[in-house]
């Protein structure tokens, strides 16, 4: 069993910053990818960023230069530092983890709300 718990969401003004955190527990394989996705009302869930066990990163174009993903392998945690937030960043942000094998199940947290006011 795998559990993911997100924290750090909230309400901020445009231009502000938030730092999201996600802690994974349970049966976690060391060779994994952890990521952040988001879903706004009426839209599909989309990738924000992910990071491999070796620290390789992948970012959506709409957050490049503004967001930074990082991880602590010993603690099975992943963070998302969000700067220069925009109203269009408003969404529920979800943490996930998958193993680096073909056909891996994807595990999701329950999400944390980020609201950016103008």
């Amino acid at each position: 069993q795998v559990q993911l718990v997100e924290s750090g969401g909230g309400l901020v003004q445009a231009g502000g910053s938030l730092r999201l955190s996600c802690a994974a527990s349970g049966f976690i394989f060391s060779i994994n990818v952890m990521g952040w996705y988001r879903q706004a009302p009426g839209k599909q869930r989309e990738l924000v960023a992910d990071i491999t066990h070796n620290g390789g990163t992948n970012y959506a174009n709409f957050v490049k230069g503004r967001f930074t993903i990082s991880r602590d392998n010993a603690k099975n945690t992943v963070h998302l530092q969000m700067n220069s937030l925009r109203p269009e960043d408003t969404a529920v942000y979800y943490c996930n983890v998958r193993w680096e094998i073909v056909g891996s199940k994807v595990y999701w947290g329950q999400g944390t709300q980020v609201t950016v006011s103008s």
Side-chain angles (χ1 to χ4, degrees):
Q1 300 294 330
V2 175
Q3 299 83 41
L4 297 167
V5 179
E6 302 98 333
S7 62
L11 173 65
V12 298
Q13 292 185 325
S17 298
L18 285 173
R19 182 174 175 83
L20 305 183
S21 298
C22 173
S25 62
F27 299 108
I28 308 299
F29 288 92
S30 296
I31 311 303
N32 65 64
V33 179
M34 301 187 77
W36 288 97
Y37 287 68
R38 70 186 189 185
Q39 187 166 23
K43 297 185 66 177
Q44 292 185 318
R45 189 172 299 185
E46 62 185 351
L47 172 72
V48 177
D50 60 25
I51 184 167
T52 71
H53 72 285
N54 285 330
T57 57
N58 179 46
Y59 293 95
N61 287 334
F62 55 81
V63 302
K64 286 183 178 178
R66 299 190 297 127
F67 294 6
T68 302
I69 190 169
S70 61
R71 65 183 292 160
D72 183 333
N73 290 341
K75 297 180 179 180
N76 287 320
T77 60
V78 62
H79 307 278
L80 185 69
Q81 178 66 46
M82 304 187 294
N83 299 323
S84 301
L85 283 162
R86 305 164 180 167
E88 52 264 43
D89 294 319
T90 296
V92 177
Y93 284 70
Y94 297 90
C95 173
N96 79 352
V97 63
R98 58 179 171 86
W99 321 137
E100 293 183 23
I101 58 173
V102 175
S104 171
K105 183 177 179 179
V106 181
Y107 299 91
W108 296 92
Q110 293 185 342
T112 185
Q113 177 71 47
V114 171
T115 302
V116 184
S117 65
S118 60

